[in-house]
Amino acid sequence: MLDPLDQLAGIPASRDQLDDTELDLIDRARQAGATWTQVGEALGLGSRQAAEQRRQRLAAARTARRARSDRHWPSEVAVLRGLLTDLRRWIDADRRWDNRFPRAALTRRTTVLALEAEPGGLYDLAARIRADLPVADPGLPAPVRAIARELAEALSTPR
């Protein structure tokens, strides 16, 4: 029989995995057209707002876990992940994002993938994001253009 203390020690990792699964399912449901109200009902939450807040909490926890694991990598990894986190916040807050430029929806999806990627994939996806962002487009919010310039600078630093 397993020692109860050993079993307890495994709970945080199991909880993290369950949170990641929940976040992924929320995102897939939303991408498939589910409303926040429907997501909230499926999770047993009382409101649309509660469902949105739950997703935000899960995403923030995942980002924090990723940041802790990045400490073993060169500081450039944390810089890139920080820039992409800032970009993700802008994208999520912009209701018109997907129509801002031809590859906007793809940039949204690539940013999500990049934030989950290991460092090698992070660099490759960040380079793709930077190439897709139309820095000269005046319709792109100034902070997003600034993030794109910082991404270009960060990516030009030798690994």
Side-chain angles (χ1 to χ4, degrees), residues 38-96:
Q38 290 170 317
V39 170
E41 289 171 358
L43 291 170
L45 301 173
S47 70
R48 165 202 62 79
Q49 183 179 9
E52 289 183 68
Q53 290 173 345
R54 172 87 149 248
R55 193 222 172 268
Q56 290 172 344
R57 181 190 63 76
L58 292 167
R62 180 186 275 180
T63 299
R65 283 192 307 276
R66 179 58 72 183
R68 284 192 302 274
S69 71
D70 283 349
R71 283 187 245 164
H72 304 293
W73 296 96
S75 61
E76 292 83 7
V77 170
V79 168
L80 273 181
R81 207 172 300 277
L83 289 169
L84 293 175
T85 298
D86 291 345
L87 178 61
R88 172 83 189 269
R89 285 187 188 117
W90 274 100
I91 290 171
D92 287 347
D94 187 346
R95 294 180 189 264
R96 297 182 308 141

Coordinates of all heavy atoms in Angstrom, one line a residue, residues 38-96:
Q38 N -22.8 29.2 -21.5 CA -22.8 27.8 -21.7 C -21.6 27.1 -21.0 O -21.7 26.1 -20.4 CB -22.8 27.4 -23.2 CG -24.1 27.7 -23.9 CD -23.9 27.6 -25.4 OE1 -23.0 28.0 -26.0 NE2 -25.0 27.0 -26.0
V39 N -20.4 27.8 -21.1 CA -19.2 27.3 -20.4 C -19.5 27.3 -18.9 O -19.2 26.3 -18.2 CB -18.0 28.1 -20.8 CG1 -16.8 27.7 -19.9 CG2 -17.6 27.9 -22.3
G40 N -20.0 28.4 -18.4 CA -20.3 28.5 -17.0 C -21.3 27.4 -16.5 O -21.1 26.8 -15.4
E41 N -22.3 27.1 -17.3 CA -23.3 26.1 -16.9 C -22.6 24.7 -16.9 O -22.8 23.9 -16.0 CB -24.4 26.1 -17.9 CG -25.4 27.3 -17.7 CD -26.4 27.4 -18.8 OE1 -26.4 26.6 -19.8 OE2 -27.2 28.4 -18.8
A42 N -21.8 24.4 -17.9 CA -21.1 23.1 -17.9 C -20.1 22.9 -16.7 O -20.0 21.8 -16.3 CB -20.3 23.0 -19.2
L43 N -19.6 24.0 -16.2 CA -18.7 24.0 -15.1 C -19.4 24.1 -13.8 O -18.8 24.0 -12.7 CB -17.6 25.1 -15.2 CG -16.6 25.0 -16.3 CD1 -15.8 26.2 -16.4 CD2 -15.7 23.8 -16.0
G44 N -20.7 24.3 -13.8 CA -21.5 24.4 -12.6 C -21.3 25.8 -11.9 O -21.5 25.9 -10.7
L45 N -21.0 26.8 -12.7 CA -20.8 28.1 -12.2 C -22.1 28.9 -12.4 O -22.9 28.6 -13.3 CB -19.6 28.8 -12.9 CG -18.3 28.1 -12.8 CD1 -17.2 28.7 -13.7 CD2 -17.8 28.0 -11.4
G46 N -22.2 30.0 -11.6 CA -23.5 30.7 -11.6 C -23.6 31.7 -12.7 O -24.7 32.2 -12.8
S47 N -22.6 32.1 -13.4 CA -22.7 33.2 -14.3 C -21.6 33.1 -15.4 O -20.6 32.4 -15.3 CB -22.6 34.5 -13.6 OG -21.3 34.8 -13.2
R48 N -21.9 33.9 -16.5 CA -20.9 34.1 -17.5 C -19.7 34.7 -17.0 O -18.6 34.3 -17.3 CB -21.6 35.0 -18.6 CG -20.6 35.6 -19.6 CD -21.1 36.8 -20.3 NE -21.3 37.9 -19.4 CZ -20.4 38.7 -18.9 NH1 -19.1 38.5 -19.2 NH2 -20.7 39.7 -18.1
Q49 N -19.8 35.7 -16.1 CA -18.6 36.4 -15.5 C -17.8 35.4 -14.7 O -16.6 35.4 -14.8 CB -19.1 37.5 -14.7 CG -17.9 38.3 -14.1 CD -18.4 39.5 -13.2 OE1 -19.6 39.6 -12.9 NE2 -17.5 40.3 -12.8
A50 N -18.4 34.5 -14.0 CA -17.7 33.5 -13.2 C -16.9 32.6 -14.1 O -15.7 32.2 -13.8 CB -18.6 32.7 -12.3
A51 N -17.4 32.2 -15.3 CA -16.7 31.4 -16.2 C -15.5 32.1 -16.8 O -14.4 31.5 -16.9 CB -17.7 30.9 -17.3
E52 N -15.7 33.4 -17.2 CA -14.6 34.1 -17.7 C -13.5 34.3 -16.7 O -12.3 34.2 -17.0 CB -15.1 35.5 -18.2 CG -15.9 35.5 -19.4 CD -16.3 36.8 -19.9 OE1 -15.4 37.6 -20.3 OE2 -17.5 37.1 -19.8
Q53 N -13.9 34.6 -15.4 CA -12.9 34.7 -14.3 C -12.1 33.4 -14.1 O -11.0 33.4 -13.8 CB -13.6 35.2 -13.1 CG -14.0 36.7 -13.2 CD -14.8 37.1 -12.0 OE1 -15.3 36.3 -11.2 NE2 -15.0 38.5 -11.9
R54 N -12.9 32.3 -14.2 CA -12.2 31.0 -14.0 C -11.2 30.8 -15.0 O -10.1 30.3 -14.7 CB -13.3 29.9 -14.0 CG -12.8 28.5 -14.0 CD -12.6 28.0 -12.6 NE -12.9 26.6 -12.5 CZ -13.9 26.0 -11.9 NH1 -14.8 26.7 -11.3 NH2 -14.0 24.7 -11.9
R55 N -11.5 31.1 -16.3 CA -10.5 30.9 -17.4 C -9.3 31.8 -17.1 O -8.1 31.4 -17.3 CB -11.1 31.3 -18.7 CG -10.2 30.8 -19.8 CD -10.1 31.8 -21.0 NE -9.1 31.3 -21.9 CZ -7.8 31.7 -21.8 NH1 -7.4 32.5 -20.9 NH2 -6.9 31.2 -22.7
Q56 N -9.5 33.0 -16.7 CA -8.4 34.0 -16.4 C -7.5 33.4 -15.3 O -6.3 33.5 -15.4 CB -8.9 35.3 -16.1 CG -9.5 36.1 -17.2 CD -10.2 37.4 -16.8 OE1 -10.5 37.6 -15.6 NE2 -10.5 38.2 -17.8
R57 N -8.1 32.9 -14.3 CA -7.3 32.3 -13.1 C -6.5 31.1 -13.6 O -5.3 31.0 -13.3 CB -8.3 31.9 -12.0 CG -7.5 31.4 -10.8 CD -8.4 30.7 -9.8 NE -9.2 29.6 -10.2 CZ -8.7 28.4 -10.4 NH1 -7.4 28.1 -10.2 NH2 -9.4 27.4 -10.8
L58 N -7.1 30.3 -14.4 CA -6.4 29.1 -14.9 C -5.3 29.5 -15.8 O -4.2 28.9 -15.7 CB -7.4 28.1 -15.6 CG -8.5 27.4 -14.8 CD1 -9.5 26.8 -15.6 CD2 -7.8 26.4 -13.8
A59 N -5.5 30.4 -16.7 CA -4.4 30.9 -17.6 C -3.3 31.6 -16.8 O -2.1 31.3 -17.1 CB -5.0 31.9 -18.6
A60 N -3.6 32.4 -15.8 CA -2.6 33.0 -15.0 C -1.8 32.0 -14.2 O -0.5 32.1 -14.1 CB -3.2 34.0 -14.0
A61 N -2.4 31.0 -13.7 CA -1.7 29.9 -13.0 C -0.8 29.1 -13.9 O 0.4 28.8 -13.6 CB -2.7 28.9 -12.3
R62 N -1.2 28.9 -15.1 CA -0.4 28.2 -16.1 C 0.8 29.0 -16.5 O 1.9 28.5 -16.6 CB -1.2 27.8 -17.4 CG -0.4 27.1 -18.4 CD -1.2 26.9 -19.7 NE -2.0 25.7 -19.6 CZ -2.8 25.3 -20.6 NH1 -2.9 26.0 -21.7 NH2 -3.5 24.3 -20.5
T63 N 0.6 30.3 -16.7 CA 1.7 31.2 -17.0 C 2.7 31.3 -15.9 O 3.9 31.2 -16.1 CB 1.1 32.6 -17.3 OG1 0.3 32.5 -18.5 CG2 2.3 33.6 -17.6
A64 N 2.2 31.3 -14.7 CA 3.1 31.3 -13.5 C 3.9 30.0 -13.4 O 5.1 30.1 -13.1 CB 2.3 31.6 -12.2
R65 N 3.3 28.9 -13.7 CA 4.0 27.6 -13.6 C 5.1 27.6 -14.7 O 6.2 27.2 -14.5 CB 3.1 26.4 -13.8 CG 2.3 26.1 -12.6 CD 1.6 24.7 -12.8 NE 0.8 24.6 -13.9 CZ -0.5 25.0 -14.1 NH1 -1.1 25.6 -13.1 NH2 -1.2 24.8 -15.2
R66 N 4.7 28.1 -15.9 CA 5.7 28.1 -17.0 C 6.9 29.1 -16.6 O 8.0 28.7 -16.9 CB 5.0 28.6 -18.3 CG 5.9 28.7 -19.5 CD 6.6 27.4 -19.8 NE 5.6 26.5 -20.4 CZ 5.9 25.3 -20.7 NH1 7.1 24.8 -20.6 NH2 5.0 24.5 -21.2
A67 N 6.6 30.2 -16.0 CA 7.6 31.1 -15.6 C 8.6 30.5 -14.6 O 9.8 30.7 -14.7 CB 7.0 32.4 -15.1
R68 N 8.0 29.7 -13.7 CA 8.9 29.0 -12.7 C 9.8 28.0 -13.4 O 11.0 27.9 -13.1 CB 8.1 28.4 -11.7 CG 7.5 29.3 -10.6 CD 6.9 28.6 -9.4 NE 5.8 27.6 -9.8 CZ 4.6 28.0 -9.9 NH1 4.2 29.2 -9.7 NH2 3.6 27.0 -10.2
S69 N 9.3 27.3 -14.4 CA 10.1 26.3 -15.1 C 11.1 27.0 -16.0 O 12.2 26.4 -16.3 CB 9.2 25.4 -15.9 OG 8.7 26.0 -17.0
D70 N 10.9 28.2 -16.5 CA 11.8 29.0 -17.3 C 13.1 29.4 -16.6 O 14.1 29.7 -17.2 CB 11.1 30.2 -17.9 CG 10.2 29.9 -19.1 OD1 10.2 28.7 -19.5 OD2 9.5 30.7 -19.5
R71 N 13.1 29.4 -15.3 CA 14.2 29.8 -14.5 C 15.5 29.0 -14.8 O 16.6 29.4 -14.6 CB 14.0 29.7 -13.0 CG 13.1 30.9 -12.6 CD 13.0 30.8 -11.1 NE 11.6 30.6 -10.8 CZ 11.1 30.2 -9.6 NH1 11.9 30.0 -8.6 NH2 9.8 30.0 -9.5
H72 N 15.3 27.8 -15.4 CA 16.4 26.9 -15.7 C 17.0 27.3 -17.1 O 18.0 26.7 -17.5 CB 16.0 25.5 -15.7 CG 15.4 25.1 -14.4 ND1 16.2 25.0 -13.2 CD2 14.2 24.7 -14.0 CE1 15.4 24.6 -12.2 NE2 14.2 24.5 -12.7
W73 N 16.4 28.2 -17.8 CA 16.8 28.6 -19.1 C 17.5 30.0 -19.1 O 17.3 30.7 -18.2 CB 15.6 28.5 -20.1 CG 15.1 27.2 -20.2 CD1 14.0 26.6 -19.6 CD2 15.6 26.1 -21.1 NE1 13.8 25.3 -20.0 CE2 14.8 25.0 -20.9 CE3 16.6 26.0 -22.0 CZ2 15.0 23.8 -21.6 CZ3 16.8 24.9 -22.7 CH2 16.0 23.8 -22.5
P74 N 18.1 30.3 -20.2 CA 18.7 31.7 -20.3 C 17.6 32.7 -20.1 O 16.4 32.5 -20.4 CB 19.3 31.8 -21.7 CG 19.5 30.3 -22.1 CD 18.5 29.5 -21.4
S75 N 18.0 33.9 -19.6 CA 17.0 35.0 -19.3 C 16.2 35.4 -20.6 O 15.1 35.9 -20.5 CB 17.7 36.2 -18.7 OG 18.7 36.7 -19.6
E76 N 16.8 35.2 -21.8 CA 16.1 35.6 -23.0 C 14.7 34.8 -23.1 O 13.8 35.4 -23.7 CB 16.9 35.3 -24.2 CG 18.2 36.1 -24.4 CD 19.4 35.6 -23.5 OE1 19.3 34.5 -23.0 OE2 20.3 36.4 -23.5
V77 N 14.7 33.6 -22.6 CA 13.4 32.9 -22.6 C 12.3 33.6 -21.9 O 11.2 33.8 -22.3 CB 13.6 31.4 -22.1 CG1 12.3 30.7 -21.9 CG2 14.6 30.6 -23.0
A78 N 12.7 34.0 -20.7 CA 11.7 34.8 -19.8 C 11.3 36.1 -20.5 O 10.1 36.5 -20.5 CB 12.3 35.0 -18.5
V79 N 12.2 36.8 -21.2 CA 11.9 38.0 -21.9 C 10.9 37.7 -23.0 O 9.9 38.4 -23.1 CB 13.2 38.7 -22.4 CG1 12.9 39.8 -23.4 CG2 14.1 39.2 -21.3
L80 N 11.2 36.7 -23.8 CA 10.3 36.4 -24.9 C 8.9 36.0 -24.3 O 7.9 36.5 -24.8 CB 10.8 35.2 -25.7 CG 11.8 35.5 -26.8 CD1 12.2 34.2 -27.5 CD2 11.2 36.5 -27.8
R81 N 8.9 35.2 -23.3 CA 7.6 34.7 -22.8 C 6.8 35.9 -22.2 O 5.6 36.1 -22.3 CB 7.8 33.6 -21.7 CG 6.6 32.8 -21.7 CD 6.7 31.5 -20.8 NE 7.7 30.6 -21.2 CZ 7.6 29.6 -22.1 NH1 6.5 29.5 -22.8 NH2 8.6 28.8 -22.3
G82 N 7.6 36.9 -21.6 CA 6.9 38.1 -21.0 C 6.3 38.9 -22.1 O 5.2 39.4 -22.0
L83 N 7.1 39.1 -23.2 CA 6.5 39.9 -24.3 C 5.3 39.2 -24.9 O 4.3 39.9 -25.3 CB 7.6 40.1 -25.4 CG 8.7 41.0 -25.1 CD1 9.9 40.9 -26.1 CD2 8.2 42.4 -25.0
L84 N 5.3 37.9 -25.1 CA 4.2 37.2 -25.6 C 3.0 37.2 -24.7 O 1.8 37.2 -25.1 CB 4.6 35.8 -26.0 CG 5.6 35.7 -27.2 CD1 6.0 34.3 -27.4 CD2 5.0 36.3 -28.5
T85 N 3.3 37.2 -23.4 CA 2.2 37.3 -22.4 C 1.5 38.7 -22.5 O 0.3 38.8 -22.5 CB 2.7 37.1 -21.0 OG1 3.2 35.8 -20.9 CG2 1.6 37.3 -19.9
D86 N 2.3 39.8 -22.7 CA 1.8 41.1 -22.9 C 0.9 41.1 -24.2 O -0.2 41.7 -24.2 CB 2.9 42.1 -23.0 CG 3.6 42.3 -21.6 OD1 3.0 41.9 -20.6 OD2 4.7 42.9 -21.6
L87 N 1.5 40.5 -25.3 CA 0.7 40.5 -26.5 C -0.6 39.8 -26.3 O -1.6 40.2 -26.8 CB 1.6 39.9 -27.6 CG 0.9 39.7 -29.0 CD1 0.5 41.1 -29.5 CD2 1.8 38.9 -29.9
R88 N -0.6 38.7 -25.7 CA -1.8 37.9 -25.4 C -2.8 38.7 -24.7 O -4.0 38.6 -25.0 CB -1.4 36.6 -24.7 CG -2.6 35.8 -24.2 CD -3.1 34.9 -25.3 NE -4.4 34.3 -25.0 CZ -4.5 33.1 -24.4 NH1 -3.4 32.4 -24.1 NH2 -5.7 32.6 -24.2
R89 N -2.4 39.5 -23.7 CA -3.4 40.3 -23.0 C -4.0 41.3 -23.9 O -5.2 41.6 -23.9 CB -2.6 41.1 -21.8 CG -2.3 40.2 -20.7 CD -1.8 40.9 -19.5 NE -1.4 40.0 -18.5 CZ -0.1 39.9 -18.1 NH1 0.8 40.7 -18.5 NH2 0.2 39.0 -17.1
W90 N -3.2 41.9 -24.8 CA -3.8 42.9 -25.8 C -4.7 42.2 -26.7 O -5.8 42.7 -27.0 CB -2.7 43.6 -26.6 CG -2.1 44.8 -25.8 CD1 -1.0 44.9 -25.1 CD2 -2.8 46.1 -25.8 NE1 -0.9 46.1 -24.5 CE2 -1.9 46.9 -24.9 CE3 -3.9 46.6 -26.3 CZ2 -2.3 48.2 -24.7 CZ3 -4.2 47.9 -26.0 CH2 -3.4 48.7 -25.2
I91 N -4.4 41.1 -27.2 CA -5.2 40.3 -28.1 C -6.5 40.0 -27.5 O -7.6 40.2 -28.0 CB -4.5 39.1 -28.7 CG1 -3.3 39.5 -29.6 CG2 -5.5 38.1 -29.4 CD1 -2.4 38.3 -30.0
D92 N -6.4 39.4 -26.2 CA -7.7 39.0 -25.5 C -8.6 40.2 -25.2 O -9.8 40.0 -25.2 CB -7.3 38.3 -24.2 CG -6.8 36.9 -24.5 OD1 -6.9 36.4 -25.6 OD2 -6.2 36.3 -23.5
A93 N -8.0 41.4 -25.0 CA -8.8 42.5 -24.7 C -9.4 43.2 -25.9 O -10.4 44.0 -25.8 CB -8.0 43.5 -23.9
D94 N -8.9 42.9 -27.1 CA -9.3 43.6 -28.3 C -10.4 42.7 -29.0 O -10.1 41.7 -29.7 CB -8.1 43.7 -29.2 CG -8.4 44.6 -30.4 OD1 -9.6 44.8 -30.8 OD2 -7.4 45.0 -31.1
R95 N -11.6 43.1 -28.9 CA -12.8 42.4 -29.5 C -12.7 42.4 -31.0 O -13.3 41.5 -31.6 CB -14.1 43.0 -29.0 CG -14.3 42.8 -27.6 CD -15.7 43.4 -27.2 NE -15.8 43.4 -25.7 CZ -16.5 42.5 -25.1 NH1 -17.0 41.5 -25.7 NH2 -16.6 42.5 -23.8
R96 N -12.0 43.3 -31.6 CA -11.9 43.4 -33.1 C -10.6 42.8 -33.6 O -10.3 42.9 -34.8 CB -12.0 44.8 -33.5 CG -13.3 45.5 -33.1 CD -13.4 46.9 -33.6 NE -12.3 47.7 -33.2 CZ -11.7 48.6 -33.9 NH1 -12.1 48.9 -35.1 NH2 -10.7 49.3 -33.5

